[in-house]
Amino acid sequence: MNDIDVAELQRRLAAFAAERDWGQYHTPKNLAAALSVEASELLEIFQWLTPEQSAAVMEDPETAHRVADEVADVFAYLLQFCQVLGIDPTAALAAKVERNEKRFPLPEAPEPEDRHSSE
Amino acid sequence: MNDIDVAELQRRLAAFAAERDWGQYHTPKNLAAALSVEASELLEIFQWLTPEQSAAVMEDPETAHRVADEVADVFAYLLQFCQVLGIDPTAALAAKVERNEKRFPLPEAPEPEDRHSSE
Amino acid sequence: MNDIDVAELQRRLAAFAAERDWGQYHTPKNLAAALSVEASELLEIFQWLTPEQSAAVMEDPETAHRVADEVADVFAYLLQFCQVLGIDPTAALAAKVERNEKRFPLPEAPEPEDRHSSE
Amino acid sequence: MNDIDVAELQRRLAAFAAERDWGQYHTPKNLAAALSVEASELLEIFQWLTPEQSAAVMEDPETAHRVADEVADVFAYLLQFCQVLGIDPTAALAAKVERNEKRFPLPEAPEPEDRHSSE
């Protein structure tokens, strides 16, 4: 993931939409709806699977392609949503991870040197 | 977005879940459901807004924070889903963008040199 | 809606699933996921429409059929979900309507003496 | 479910919204979004549960109440959506059930006379 620049992808998505005059449709509300719809299309692949079957979806090439394709759609709408509202998704997630590390502290906090051995 | 490494965030999310023994819950199916639920929580902020109101959500600091927080949740579950299935979301999106550029060609294709000037 | 019995539809759906041995897939969790997926398919029809366009979807026969079909899918999974958990959806809604009438009292009370007695 | 009239509930929901001047928010698009959001709130209850745990949710009174409450919300928005577009959800489902009985015939088709006796 290091080789491809997320910000560059965001710029390509924005140019792609602008060239096709899709900006009029890309209100934050519509993009949030589209993001939600795409996330459901990803879920649809898993809806009747057992937990074990769900862990093996990448073994079938056709299903693997479908999963990756839905991931791309979700990611695309997430980046476009962030673009139109000026949100940096990576910074938002970094902030959240830091809040969560405080909000859900480790159940039993071992001594720093013990921590390693308990993992 | 360049300063913060997406792969690094993905590793922190994985470590965070592993330390809390949440791996048992993080089947691809459950993560797809959680991603879909978080995308809906983002949509919920917009569900009664007009298109114009939706474009102004970042003007209210409290709503802006809520939006960024839901973006972080969606992004977190997307990255965790990709992690457990070995999918590179940025590569998947790059492949999709290239397919879409072929699938939805510009309505009227100008000469290559004209294209540049129209952008 | 009076002529067709909802409970009868629920029985037909249950028989339909039982005859095809689909009961193994119809865990409450899977049915909740399927309900959510179908609700998103309904939303998909509207995701790029303006409020005005969304109000006119029934004017196009093909779209009207698609909308009714997705409504049927949502309703089917809602009834099947309720069936497997022994929930009466109509009773649950009646209880909710009553709670809401208390939770969201009318904003401006017309005749003070009348309103008071009705609350 | 026979005792409570679905059409009557639909009328009460419509009156409730009209009295509060919520009609302006109740575009088909917004109601489809709200329906999808509520379906996700129902799914949220199940997202980390095993299939077995999901089958036992009604054993805990607090969870049982939460499930019934989300069912009511989904049903309410489904009925309101249908109301604003003039769709009869029960007729739409009856039509779908009939189509599905043709689309997914029983895996092993018995002799016509046997089939009759099994229904």
Side-chain angles (χ1 to χ4, degrees), chain A residues 8 14 72 83 95 112 117:
Chain A
E8 170 59 23
Q83 173 98 6
S117 63

Side-chain angles (χ1 to χ4, degrees), chain A residues 20 29 49 69 99 104, chain B residues 20 29 49 69 99 104:
Chain A
R20 281 150 191 82
K29 177 173 180 152
L49 303 187
D69 200 49
R99 282 201 305 279
F104 301 103
Chain B
R20 280 148 192 85
K29 177 173 179 151
L49 302 187
D69 201 49
R99 281 201 306 279
F104 300 104

Side-chain angles (χ1 to χ4, degrees), chain A residues 3-51:
Chain A
D3 301 325
I4 305 165
D5 195 28
V6 173
E8 170 59 23
L9 280 173
Q10 209 166 20
R11 280 190 293 273
R12 276 178 74 182
L13 288 167
F16 185 80
E19 286 168 353
R20 281 150 191 82
D21 202 23
W22 289 353
Q24 56 183 313
Y25 304 112
H26 285 193
T27 64
K29 177 173 180 152
N30 289 1
L31 289 167
L35 171 62
S36 162
V37 166
E38 294 300 335
S40 279
E41 291 186 6
L42 183 60
L43 176 59
E44 190 181 12
I45 301 172
F46 296 90
Q47 65 187 348
W48 305 121
L49 303 187
T50 63

